[in-house]
């Protein structure tokens, strides 16, 4: 009975609404979404929505009753005739970093007039960042080289909450000790890309646990809760996707977007930071920070996003068949890092050269002319330059020697010193266990399938038995080589 009453009420409402519409034989289809105005880079108030209807293709504007001053969280189109004058935005555009930006013309002007302080956040969910974070680190590097000040924000506080963006389930809860250990592991990689110090453009590193852990709950709710509406928060993609998939979204995670917005406000107050940088999946959270800073302190601040990077076959950047491509050397050997870039697909090489190296654009344009097997020369430049920036030029000679020893038919007796290695446990050990310890596979079942498929080799001889073992007698010259497929190689050595 309740359902019947609801259906009747709904049909009456629809019929009354249709009575006010002009006559048309075409069916009407409505799509309400935040307005995006191509002629202006500024955000448009979400009080304006565009309603698309099939009435001769006309676009009609309708007013809504959303909360005052709310801003559209959709990506904003930039004027087609916009030409950046600041070197930083010129670099972002020419090398493919720019996805969306709030009021890009005003930001461009400020970047020309003086030093701009910009921040980018990194949560401490693991003891190392992986190559998926490298794009953001490169943006900070370009920012500093353009004469501005990078602020590296380590998420010691927000990691306790967990970012729900792009996740179907809650992140694993980490202890304070785990988070602090992860922060210690993450810190060192930034020294390789940024210059830290006390000068105007020297980078600085801060931890948002400094202010988030000091917040008093009721005071925080009273001061900042009225600045956010549940209506708006429910419209964010990170929330909508979880709800659409009927995946639980905890109240803890729901607060993440508020804390990220508060970070921007706090950094503006403490460090006069006026620009937040991040990935396009963070756009809604970043606009929240822009608006919160404006509403609370009347300050003009900006948000700029970079595109999420996927490979040409649609896979997420930063992963390989063997797992994450870590930036810390103790979690991934320099040779494996080099090999990851060397194995880049042909269609991705030029794009990755622009994003992940500092090879001049005119040289990249020349490499773009290479076709067929010649593209391997561009892949080698990509692998060399990315590895040089992270691990230093001193690792490249031994990496080249190792690669030559493994893949060149002319090589004889080349060095394998750069390959990952494990020590043999006892007098013998199953090859399946060794492959897992070398991070060539995630499970024993995966190893068995690869062996049965003929993809596993011991000293270049195919392993035909899934129960095969490596014994001390197999080891010659103190080591034995294990290979998985054509691109994964490692050494098993005797314990000293």
């Amino acid at each position: 009975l309740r359902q019947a009453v609801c259906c009747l009420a709904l049909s009456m409402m629809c019929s009354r609404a249709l009575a006010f519409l002009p006559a048309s034989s075409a069916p009407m289809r409505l799509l309400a979404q935040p307005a995006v105005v191509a002629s202006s880079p500024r955000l448009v108030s979400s009080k304006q929505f565009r309603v698309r209807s099939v009435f001769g293709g006309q676009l009609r504007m309708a007013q809504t009753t959303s909360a005052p001053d709310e801003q559209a969280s959709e990506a904003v189109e930039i004027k087609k005739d916009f030409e950046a004058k600041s070197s930083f935005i010129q670099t972002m555009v020419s090398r493919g970093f720019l996805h969306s930006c709030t009021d890009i013309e005003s930001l461009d002007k400020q970047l020309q007039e003086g030093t701009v302080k910009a921040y980018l956040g990194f949560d401490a969910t693991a003891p190392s960042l992986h190559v998926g974070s490298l794009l953001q680190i490169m943006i900070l590097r370009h920012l500093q080289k353009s004469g501005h000040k990078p602020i590296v924000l380590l998420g010691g506080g927000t990691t306790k909450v967990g970012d729900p963006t792009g996740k179907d389930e809650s992140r694993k809860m980490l202890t304070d000790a785990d988070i602090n250990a992860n922060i210690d592991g993450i810190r060192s990689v930034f020294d390789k890309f940024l210059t830290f110090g006390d000068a105007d453009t020297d980078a600085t590193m801060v931890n948002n646990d400094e202010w988030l852990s000091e917040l008093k709950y009721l005071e925080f709710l009273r001061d900042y809760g009225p600045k956010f509406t549940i209506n708006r928060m429910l419209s964010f993609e990170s929330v909508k996707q979880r709800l659409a998939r009927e995946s639980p979204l905890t109240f803890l995670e729901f607060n993440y977007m508020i804390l990220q917005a508060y970070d921007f406000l706090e950094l503006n107050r403490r460090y006069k930071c006026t620009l937040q940088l991040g990935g396009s999946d963070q756009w809604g959270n970043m606009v929240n920070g822009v608006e919160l800073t404006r509403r609370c302190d009347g300050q003009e601040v900006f948000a700029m996003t970079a595109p999420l990077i996927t490979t040409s076959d649609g896979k997420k950047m930063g992963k390989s068949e063997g797992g994450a491509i870590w930036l810390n050397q103790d979690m991934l050997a320099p040779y494996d890092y080099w090999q990851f870039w060397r194995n880049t697909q042909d269609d991705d090489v030029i794009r990755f050269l622009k994003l992940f190296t500092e090879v001049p654009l005119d040289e990249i344009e020349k490499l773009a002319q290479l076709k067929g097997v010649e593209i391997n020369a561009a892949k080698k430049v990509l692998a060399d330059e990315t590895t040089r920036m992270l691990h230093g030029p001193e690792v490249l000679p031994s990496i080249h020697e190792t690669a030559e020893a493994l893949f060149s038919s002319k090589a004889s007796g080349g060095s394998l010193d750069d390959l990952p290695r494990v020590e043999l446990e006892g007098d013998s050990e199953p090859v399946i266990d060794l492959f897992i310890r070398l991070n060539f596979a995630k499970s024993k079942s995966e190893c068995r399938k690869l062996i049965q498929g003929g993809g596993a080799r011991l000293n270049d001889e195919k392993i035909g038995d899934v129960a095969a073992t490596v014994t001390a007698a197999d080891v010659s010259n103190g080591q034995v080589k294990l290979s998985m497929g054509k691109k994964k190689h490692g050494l098993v050595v005797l314990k000293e």
Side-chain angles (χ1 to χ4, degrees):
L1 178 61
R2 185 179 298 128
Q3 290 178 342
V5 171
C6 289
C7 289
L8 178 60
L10 181 60
S11 83
M12 291 175 65
M13 291 170 61
C14 290
S15 63
R16 289 182 179 180
L18 290 171
F20 291 94
L21 296 174
S24 172
S25 58
M28 187 181 73
R29 178 167 52 89
L30 298 180
L31 173 63
Q33 60 189 46
V36 179
V37 180
S39 61
S40 173
R42 294 180 182 273
L43 287 174
V44 180
S45 171
S46 62
K47 287 163 53 177
Q48 284 188 326
F49 275 67
R50 62 183 183 185
V51 181
R52 184 177 300 144
S53 61
V54 190
F55 288 135
Q58 295 177 345
L59 191 65
R60 302 189 175 193
M61 301 301 295
Q63 295 293 322
T64 71
T65 57
S66 57
D69 295 328
E70 285 191 347
Q71 298 288 335
S73 62
E74 300 296 323
V76 180
E77 295 183 39
I78 298 168
K79 289 168 73 171
K80 293 181 179 179
D81 59 349
F82 170 75
E83 292 185 9
K85 295 182 174 64
S86 64
S87 60
F88 176 62
I89 295 184
Q90 286 175 351
T91 300
M92 293 297 98
V93 173
S94 62
R95 299 190 80 98
F97 287 99
L98 184 60
H99 183 272
S100 305
C101 187
T102 61
D103 200 356
I104 194 169
E105 290 177 324
S106 294
L107 175 61
D108 191 43
K109 183 178 180 181
Q110 288 198 16
L111 288 164
Q112 297 172 68
E113 293 174 346
T115 301
V116 169
K117 299 175 182 178
Y119 92 93
L120 219 158
F122 301 85
D123 277 351
T125 56
S128 169
L129 299 175
H130 61 67
V131 78
S133 298
L134 187 58
L135 182 83
Q136 311 301 335
I137 298 175
M138 289 298 297
I139 291 175
L140 290 177
R141 182 177 173 90
H142 285 301
L143 178 86
Q144 187 171 49
K145 288 199 164 192
S146 298
H148 305 286
K149 186 179 184 69
I151 298 175
V152 178
L153 180 66
L154 298 179
T158 43
T159 303
K160 298 175 182 179
V161 176
D163 184 1
T165 305
K167 298 293 181 182
D168 286 333
E169 57 186 21
S170 300
R171 294 179 184 269
K172 178 185 175 182
M173 293 287 287
L174 300 177
T175 65
D176 286 355
D178 291 334
I179 293 172
N180 291 332
N182 288 346
I183 287 176
D184 290 340
I186 286 171
R187 287 178 184 273
S188 60
V189 74
F190 294 101
D191 290 322
K192 301 177 181 181
F193 292 88
L194 302 172
T195 300
F196 288 84
D198 298 324
D200 288 345
T201 62
D202 283 348
T204 187
M205 185 177 292
V206 295
N207 186 337
N208 63 14
D209 195 52
E210 294 176 16
W211 53 83
L212 293 183
S213 290
E214 298 299 320
L215 293 175
K216 295 182 179 179
Y217 188 61
L218 288 179
E219 289 184 10
F220 183 77
L221 284 181
R222 285 178 60 86
D223 291 343
Y224 303 105
K227 311 296 184 183
F228 301 88
T229 66
I230 296 296
N231 314 61
R232 172 77 186 287
M233 295 168 74
L234 288 173
S235 72
F236 285 9
E237 282 302 315
S238 59
V239 176
K240 289 197 298 184
Q241 289 177 7
R242 288 279 281 273
L243 297 179
R245 296 168 184 165
E246 297 185 356
S247 300
L249 178 68
T250 66
F251 179 70
L252 179 69
E253 295 171 287
F254 194 58
N255 280 271
Y256 187 92
M257 63 185 78
I258 298 178
L259 297 180
Q260 183 173 335
Y262 182 74
D263 278 344
F264 201 177
L265 175 64
E266 196 67 28
L267 287 168
N268 180 259
R269 289 172 173 173
R270 294 182 179 220
Y271 301 98
K272 305 301 181 186
C273 178
T274 57
L275 174 61
Q276 180 181 181
L277 302 163
S280 58
D281 59 337
Q282 295 292 321
W283 176 255
N285 294 355
M286 292 167 67
V287 171
N288 266 346
V290 170
E291 283 304 293
L292 182 64
T293 305
R294 179 182 65 81
R295 293 173 188 171
C296 291
D297 293 354
Q299 296 294 315
E300 182 182 31
V301 294
F302 308 90
M304 177 185 289
T305 65
L308 297 182
I309 303 301
T310 57
T311 57
S312 56
D313 58 359
K315 294 181 180 178
K316 187 177 181 180
M317 183 70 179
K319 303 287 185 179
S320 72
E321 293 179 1
I325 304 300
W326 302 108
L327 299 185
N328 285 15
Q329 186 169 339
D330 60 345
M331 295 183 67
L332 187 75
Y335 173 80
D336 291 328
Y337 185 76
W338 183 90
Q339 192 63 43
F340 167 78
W341 294 105
R342 176 61 180 80
N343 293 336
T344 297
Q345 297 182 45
D346 293 1
D347 293 340
D348 294 325
V349 177
I350 300 305
R351 181 164 57 107
F352 287 179
L353 278 166
K354 292 180 179 179
L355 294 171
F356 299 107
T357 78
E358 293 178 327
V359 175
L361 292 176
D362 56 347
E363 292 185 25
I364 294 177
E365 188 60 33
K366 293 177 183 177
L367 293 172
Q369 308 307 312
L370 300 177
K371 305 297 180 184
V373 295
E374 293 180 343
I375 196 70
N376 288 327
K379 293 181 181 182
K380 188 173 182 296
V381 172
L382 173 64
D384 283 355
E385 292 304 312
T386 50
T387 305
R388 186 195 315 277
M389 293 180 72
L390 180 63
H391 295 299
E394 63 276 7
V395 304
L396 291 177
S398 62
I399 287 176
H400 293 162
E401 189 177 354
T402 299
E404 183 72 11
L406 284 170
F407 302 114
S408 174
S409 59
K410 298 179 182 179
S412 58
S415 171
L416 302 178
D417 291 342
D418 260 11
L419 293 180
R421 60 186 59 212
V422 294
E423 291 184 340
L424 186 68
E425 297 288 346
D427 294 329
S428 66
E429 190 171 355
V431 292
I432 285 179
D433 293 346
L434 292 167
F435 278 131
I436 291 175
R437 289 175 58 202
L438 285 165
N439 293 320
F440 289 173
K442 296 179 180 179
S443 66
K444 292 186 177 182
S445 60
E446 182 182 349
C447 282
R448 293 189 188 96
K449 290 179 182 177
L450 290 166
I451 293 172
Q452 292 168 347
R457 298 187 304 282
L458 188 152
N459 283 338
D460 297 323
E461 297 292 331
K462 185 183 295 186
I463 301 174
D465 184 1
V466 295
T469 61
V470 173
T471 68
D474 295 319
V475 179
S476 61
N477 300 322
Q479 62 189 28
V480 61
K481 186 174 77 171
L482 286 179
S483 303
M484 183 75 77
K486 296 180 179 180
K487 299 175 181 177
K488 295 180 181 179
H489 308 273
L491 300 176
V492 180
V493 299
L494 293 176
K495 280 190 175 181
E496 297 181 357

